[in-house]
Amino acid sequence: LPVGVQMVSEIPASLPAVGIEAGPLGMVLGHLIENAAEAMPAGGRVTVAAGPVELTAADAREYLGAAAPGPHVEVTVQD
């Protein structure tokens, strides 16, 4: 990360395990973090957070792809 940009991780130790390919997820997160850092030439903070969420049937319909109702893990990148 550029000088002056701090990265904060808010991922609880109790986060449930999920079945996902680590490579594509790492690539997407890397690009999001890089873009966020580039948007802060004066410095700032990039926060990567994850937590459990429960999707209702209505929630699941709002997602692209094949999200199903039930427990999921939500990952966010914020600058």
Side-chain angles (χ1 to χ4, degrees):
L1 292 175
V3 174
V5 176
Q6 175 189 16
M7 185 164 142
V8 177
S9 174
E10 297 178 357
I11 301 173
S14 61
L15 191 66
V18 296
I20 189 168
E21 291 185 40
L25 177 62
M27 185 180 300
V28 168
L29 288 175
H31 287 296
L32 289 172
I33 292 166
E34 181 179 336
N35 289 345
E38 288 176 359
M40 296 184 283
R45 183 167 109 169
V46 178
T47 303
V48 178
V53 295
E54 185 76 25
L55 293 183
T56 65
D59 295 333
R61 284 192 295 275
E62 297 294 319
Y63 283 86
L64 295 174
H72 293 268
V73 171
E74 179 179 56
V75 177
T76 60
V77 177
Q78 181 179 359
D79 61 0

